[in-house]
Amino acid sequence: MTAPAPISITDAAAERVKALIAKRGKPTVGVRIGVRSKGCSGMSYTVEFADEKSPYDETVEDKGVTIFIDPKATLFILGTEMDYVEEQMKSGFVFRNPNEKGRCGCGESFHV
Amino acid sequence: MNIEAHHTDGLEACVVECWSCKGPASPRALFCSVCGAVQPPRPMDHFQRLGLMPGFDVDQGELERHYFGFQRRLHPDRFAARSAKEKLMSQQQAMALNEAYETLKEPLKRAAYLLKLKGRKADAEDSAKPADPALLMEQMEAREALMEADSAEQVQAILARTESDIAFAVDDLSQAFAAECLEGAAKLVMRLKYLMRLSDEARGRKSRMTRGTL
Amino acid sequence: MSDMLFDIFEPGETPLPHAGDEVAVGIDLGTTNSVVAISRQGKPEVLRDDKGRAIIPSVVAYGRDDEVVVGHEARNLILDRPQDVVSSIKRLMGRGIEDIKAVAGQLPFEVDGDATGMVRLKVAGRTLSPVEISADILKAVRAQAEAALGKKVPKAVITVPAYFDDAARTATKDAARLAGIEVLRLVNEPTAAALAYGLDQGAEGLYAVYDLGGGTFDVSLLRMEKGVFQVKATGGDAALGGDDIDHMIAELFLAERGVTSLDAGRVKQALMTARVAKECLTSRSEGEWMLEFDGKVSKHALSRQTLEAMISPLIERTITICRQVLEDAAALPEDVKGVVLVGGSTRVPLVRKRVADLFGTQPLANINPDEVVAVGAAQQAEALTHGSDTLLLDVTPLSLGLETMGGIVEKVILRNTPIPAALAQEFTTYQDGQASMMIHVVQGERELVAQNRSLARFTLSGIPPMAAGAARIRVTFTVDADGLLTVSACETTTGVESQVQVKPSYGISEEEMAEMLKDSLEHAKDDMAARLLAEAKVDARRNLLAVRAALSHDSDLLSPSEREGIDRAIATVETACEASDREAILASAEALETATKPFAEKRMDRGIRKALAGVSMDSLEKRVGE
């Protein structure tokens, strides 16, 4: 059994990431997902442009986008799908755990 | 992973109510996917709780990584500024994690627990079952030798032998579980229990002796 | 993870989520001295008085007319008004009169027990409990912090010796309550020191913290790794400390002088001189000190060599405890990467030498041993209020158990079990038709109940008539993250239940506490009301958050009129939360719950339907076939 990729990305999210990187106008190797535990709400995720790969990062390539995952984030991002949503008032990226949406998550190792 | 394969244990277990937003939540979720509230620990075995494959061979590094990872998210220290209910939920989660970690980190407890999961009592817990006379004899002799040992060196020798016996017993347990030989595993759990007690006694005696000569 | 929306930011520029402006400090409430510190944005700072002093002597002087003096000034009064001054009160926290009878003659104050066996001190015509006296120290500590910060300090992490039993921990929490401080967490002193040390020096690996304070000795073995501080084992002696060295020297001097009858004043004066001698001998090899009372001056020479011979048995006791802790953690001295020294008494050269001998490494003391505990407590206070990358995983220092037949202890939670912890044990009745069962909770390592500390007794009654051995009485021990115990008992075949928050036999009763709060703290009522209001707001905001999340997720389930009703209820809660009427907040929260009930039901329905759809036909058929 091979380990599944820790994260996947939807077409919409991939398109949006590529567009944002193009708009940034700087050499960019991908986006980096990290965890920061400061702030009143306890743990929070960060999504930032990556100028270079950090040696400890886990790298995932999907739909032409490179995602680097901080080891601290791996455990809790595992199995999620990065999507991009546009609603009337707001837009942004979401991390969805496909096993948690309505369907039963039995059999998964961990849950977010 | 084949999700359907796990759907045999009743439908109601597939959706539970989130205490906070009162909506549906996955019974395995730590946090509600809608409102983000920490959920109470749901019934699951210790391996599931720590995200490990059930089995006797547990990688200590992996066990700790997962334990620390879950505690980082769920420990009451993370909820000190939250509502009383969230504090309580996180405390229960942390307790469940601690229990799982304590059980799985030691070979003896892990083996006994695994036997229980597989529906087989360890012989030691089955009072109806008489202990193996050969094992009893062996342990009686070992204990006698320990009592008669009157130098720290002699005690050390017994301790070293016991510890090597423990290592062999753990190896044997691993093989017994790999071969699904529960009968053998149950016997080995009993043996390991005796050996651990012997090594504890030897260590205690040794430290009393070392102290006395200081 | 909720469906939270993310933007992509430049590296390191992700804005912080709203950080609360709550101020929480760390307090090291010591036997001899207390220290308070704060940590902001990860930078700890010890809070000093207007003269730049960090240390607040844990000494309280009581005058006539309700006068209470704490700290340096109180210490200066020891010689002039010895009968009015109390020091080292921490040694009596959570103790019963029976516990201290043996040492009563050596204590520098008069002790007495009340009808319930609790310790009371007679000072300046008052009768005071150790909790009240500690509360006076904490009030002074709080005042120093508030003066240094220029704002109110309502919350704190307070440290306690790792080896404090449940009674002493509860007493400490009670003292804080009396002083108007909300305890965010009780943290063990060595753990706090390790936190300060590890964060400052980036230590990784197995470390020992050797903490010899004024009145207590603790040693903890911790593994520090990637921000996790995991206590492997802890041990100690709650009645062993630098004070004992002072007593030995004082006794020697008094014997040399031929003093036989001891009053509190003479003892105090001799102890002060002894302390000076002890401190001098950490850097010098000999000296001479004077005692002056009853119009007579006596001179007393003492060399470091003599002192070391005298205190050696005491230091060896600490070394023996270190060995035990190593054994408990299944570690060898050479596994320990470093030893952190905490407490003023670790300045004694013999202590450093013996610790270095045992662990084969020079102990580390590059953070001021008097301040390191308060610094760690401040860092934990920041972690609890503002979030943190680090995590403390502590253990319970002493086994907890129950009395069984023949006065034997049945341990339910073993020492060095990670906390919080909940463990249960089943017991049964021993007589036919037995209707009640006495449950006696004890703490300690010994086999016999009489050799351990008795924490509480309660009775589970209403057990229906059964044959002996048929009842199944499940007793559950719960230790929270502060190390405090709750015990509940339940007869499992019938569900008869009984629960107690273990209020130590020698603590302070709830009624007394209420009385004290009324008497001694003018703001207590306001504080209590403010706390209840804050809690109601936290709960209401949590509800709002949940309802909003549910709305953004499933609003399609609602008709416009239903939606309107919920929105109105939300607005009412929001308005109530802006004001300070607790009743209004509670009422609006309840109204919101009622308004969202049908919505919640629809959401559950949909959830179950979706789950059904997710189950393959195959397994459905199987279920139908069952």
Side-chain angles (χ1 to χ4, degrees), chain A residues 52-63:
Chain A
E52 56 185 5
K53 182 194 183 315
S54 143
Y56 304 107
D57 283 351
E58 185 156 345
T59 313
V60 174
E61 293 208 27
D62 193 13
K63 304 202 169 69

Side-chain angles (χ1 to χ4, degrees), chain C residues 15-135:
Chain C
L16 270 179
H18 164 74
D21 51 2
E22 261 177 288
V23 180
V25 295
I27 298 173
D28 171 11
L29 179 61
T31 307
T32 321
N33 297 308
S34 295
V35 180
V36 56
I38 190 165
S39 177
R40 287 174 287 200
Q41 276 100 55
K43 289 191 186 65
E45 182 197 343
V46 175
L47 299 172
R48 295 166 192 279
D49 67 5
D50 49 9
K51 295 195 177 69
R53 297 175 297 201
I55 279 171
I56 304 162
S58 304
V59 181
V60 194
Y62 293 91
R64 312 295 149 199
D65 321 319
D66 290 345
E67 177 209 18
V68 180
V69 179
V70 180
H72 299 279
E73 271 179 73
R75 196 162 66 179
N76 294 338
L77 290 172
I78 289 182
L79 294 185
D80 297 340
R81 290 166 37 194
Q83 68 287 352
D84 296 344
V85 183
V86 183
S87 54
S88 295
I89 191 63
K90 188 173 172 180
R91 302 195 84 158
L92 299 191
M93 289 296 266
R95 314 252 97 198
I97 190 72
E98 287 300 318
D99 300 330
I100 58 162
K101 255 188 189 151
V103 291
Q106 300 167 29
L107 291 167
F109 26 65
E110 282 175 52
V111 289
D112 196 4
D114 68 5
T116 57
M118 299 181 190
V119 181
R120 292 291 179 270
L121 271 67
K122 295 207 159 142
V123 197
R126 305 181 205 193
T127 305
L128 296 165
S129 68
V131 168
E132 289 164 281
I133 296 165
S134 296

Side-chain angles (χ1 to χ4, degrees), chain C residues 57 84 158 202 255 262 266 306 416 457 491 511 521 527 549 619:
Chain C
D84 296 344
I158 298 182
L262 294 174
R266 285 172 189 166
T306 313
N416 296 323
R457 291 168 195 270
E491 202 290 303
E511 299 81 57
L521 197 82
D527 282 8
S619 64

